[in-house]
Amino acid sequence: MSTTTNGHSSVNGNGELRQRKPEAKPSVTDEGRKVDERLDKHETYEFGGPWGVTAMMVGFPILMYYLWICLWFYDGQLVFPTSFDDVQPFLTRMWAHVRDDAYPSAYAFKVYTGLIALQLTLAFVIPGYQQEGLPVPSLGYKTLMYNCNAIGCLYATLIISAALHYFHIFRLTDIIDNYGHLMSVAMIYGFAVSFGTYYFAVWRGEAIRMSGNFAYDVFMGAALNPRLGSVDLKMWAEVRIPWVIVFYLAVSGACKQYEEYGYVTPNMAFMVLATWLYLNACAKGEECIPQTWDMFHEKWGFMVIFWNFAGVPFTYVYSVVYMASHDPSKYRFSTPTYIALYATLLTAYYIFDTSMSQKSRFKMQTQGTFKFRKTFPQLPWGTIENPTFIQTAHGNRLLTSGWWTYARKPNYTADWVQSTTWGLVVGAASPIPYFYSVFFITVLVHRCGRDFERCAIKYGKDWERYCEVVKYRFIPGIY
Ligand code: NDP
């Protein structure tokens, strides 16, 4: 694709080169409307259909208990029955750990419910930046407004938690000390909210893209944009629950180390920094979330809800749990290794942050809703001044500038590298902290396949042209 002198160029559905102003509003064409209508109907089962999703709904909690037991009680090593005769005693031992150390205690209910109540209250009362979402086909291309106040809520949460800890009202070390109990409560919330919102959406007549199979529809969800007053529940839950807990687990681990040894290891400090960067990225760039596919396409079902309420918070930071319960000598590195680890994290974070904002802001520029928001930190190259793009016959545009020149999912690659550093931080001490990295690459490859399938239907020949212009999925020259 050639570019014009000012860097603006586009290729329309017929392959003609066009010059366009990025701020010009494209409208969805008649052809685009027909495709959108098709994409808003259930056509095929994903995730292995009803049996596949049922297996995941049963299997995820079991896997989470198993990994936690190995980490907490078996020195971070994966344990198995040693013989056929050992299967029964092995299962009995496993169950005893769940029953005795992970029962949903009243205290854990109080803590978890307290967090939900605090985050909901803050979401309602703290003023936010108003961002217009993308036109929603199922609402006749109406746009929804998003009250982006996650950053204010985050700073308020920091102040409140520091005060609670300082005045011994709620010690932050309690989070990691009650890991098993909190995880069980989080799972109960995950199931209750999934089923509750499913029935509510069906009752309100807000269900879309339904298959008619109960298990599958609970897993995929019924409503696309569930709201409680000014709060968009899907966006609220994506930022305010999982990443807040993940960050506080790291802080809790750091407090525990400090109380025990009088210092915090560079490894634990790394996890505090890594989880902070992720949480802060979601909060300071919240206005970029309405343009993501989780917001405009995925419904609010078990897959998203359970993972937000329980999966992310209680499987992504196993390294913190390991470090909080093991002697620092087990995961001590040389100075160059620490430098390499921190440098990898910061580089991956930079690409993740700027690639996400480049694409989201490009969509806002196209829609005419882009305003520069002053939150910290705003990194260089987060906005592309004169983006190149492919104008599709659907009406939408596909960005081909910035990080999006090199791959069709640069954000996934960078995000995955971050997840891998969250395991590398314990070196070879335990395999369990690598769960996030292994699980996440599986999710991203599968998600990428689902997304590209949808885009191929949505954009037809323009998608093929885009794939010719941007050849690689994750890593230029490799994949
Ligand atoms: P995606 O890349 O998944 O967004 C895909 C959508 O963006 C496509 O359906 C298409 O939608 C649009 N799109 C794709 N390519 C282009 C392009 N070149 N120009 C313009 N639009 C394009 O990312 P999201 O935006 O949904 O962001 C998700 C982020 O969240 C990722 O970084 C991911 O790593 C992270 N994530 C993290 C998880 C975790 O557990 N840590 C879990 C899941 C996601 P359309 O054209 O229809 O507008």
Side-chain angles (χ1 to χ4, degrees), residues 36 39 134 238 243 278 288-289 291-297 307-308 312 316 352 355-356 358-360 362-363 388-390 392 394 396-401 404-405 407-416 418-419 422 436 439-440 443-444 447-448 450-452 454-455 458-459 463 466 470:
D36 286 341
L39 289 169
L134 296 172
E238 185 163 300
W243 304 111
Y278 212 103
C288 293
I289 298 180
Q291 295 80 27
T292 64
W293 115 307
D294 275 351
M295 289 301 124
F296 68 74
H297 182 73
W307 215 244
N308 282 339
V312 170
Y316 281 14
F352 167 71
S355 61
M356 283 299 297
Q358 283 176 356
K359 174 154 76 76
S360 287
F362 168 72
K363 289 194 178 203
T388 57
F389 54 85
I390 287 175
T392 68
H394 171 281
N396 278 4
R397 293 166 181 177
L398 295 166
L399 176 66
T400 53
S401 294
W404 302 86
T405 317
R408 278 173 268 148
K409 293 286 185 195
N411 50 340
Y412 284 16
T413 312
D415 208 355
W416 179 74
Q418 289 188 95
S419 74
W422 293 24
Y436 177 23
F439 168 80
F440 197 37
V443 167
L444 292 177
R447 184 176 155 109
C448 176
R450 288 177 67 216
D451 186 34
F452 286 177
R454 183 181 147 274
C455 289
K458 188 166 178 176
Y459 300 123
W463 184 254
Y466 171 63
V470 186

Side-chain angles (χ1 to χ4, degrees), residues 135-198:
V136 187
S138 59
L139 299 178
Y141 293 93
K142 191 180 125 185
T143 53
L144 298 170
M145 287 309 288
Y146 289 82
N147 185 29
C148 301
N149 61 2
I151 195 73
C153 298
L154 175 57
Y155 292 142
T157 306
L158 288 179
I159 295 166
I160 293 168
S161 62
L164 292 176
H165 181 77
Y166 184 78
F167 292 109
H168 290 248
I169 299 166
F170 173 70
R171 301 288 294 164
L172 290 171
T173 44
D174 276 7
I175 305 173
I176 210 126
D177 287 341
N178 287 275
Y179 192 92
H181 306 294
L182 284 167
M183 182 169 73
S184 293
V185 171
M187 288 188 203
I188 293 170
Y189 262 96
F191 276 96
V193 176
S194 302
F195 281 87
T197 50
Y198 167 82

Side-chain angles (χ1 to χ4, degrees), residues 430-448:
S430 164
I432 296 172
Y434 291 91
F435 169 80
Y436 177 23
S437 170
V438 173
F439 168 80
F440 197 37
I441 192 69
T442 318
V443 167
L444 292 177
V445 169
H446 182 250
R447 184 176 155 109
C448 176

Side-chain angles (χ1 to χ4, degrees), residues 66 69-70 74 77-95:
Y66 169 72
I69 290 168
C70 292
Y74 297 91
Q77 303 310 312
L78 296 171
V79 288
F80 306 101
T82 47
S83 63
F84 187 72
D85 290 342
D86 188 35
V87 172
Q88 177 67 34
F90 176 82
L91 292 177
T92 310
R93 283 198 301 278
M94 292 281 134
W95 167 243

Side-chain angles (χ1 to χ4, degrees), residues 68-69 73-74 92-102:
W68 162 73
I69 290 168
F73 300 101
Y74 297 91
T92 310
R93 283 198 301 278
M94 292 281 134
W95 167 243
H97 285 305
V98 176
R99 186 194 57 213
D100 299 339
D101 301 295

Side-chain angles (χ1 to χ4, degrees), residues 285-331:
E286 195 186 11
E287 79 284 4
C288 293
I289 298 180
Q291 295 80 27
T292 64
W293 115 307
D294 275 351
M295 289 301 124
F296 68 74
H297 182 73
E298 295 287 28
K299 296 183 285 176
W300 208 43
F302 180 91
M303 176 176 69
V304 177
I305 296 170
F306 185 84
W307 215 244
N308 282 339
F309 278 76
V312 170
F314 293 96
T315 65
Y316 281 14
V317 286
Y318 284 138
S319 50
V320 167
V321 182
Y322 181 84
M323 291 189 282
S325 51
H326 287 80
D327 192 85
S329 61
K330 296 210 169 207
Y331 50 86

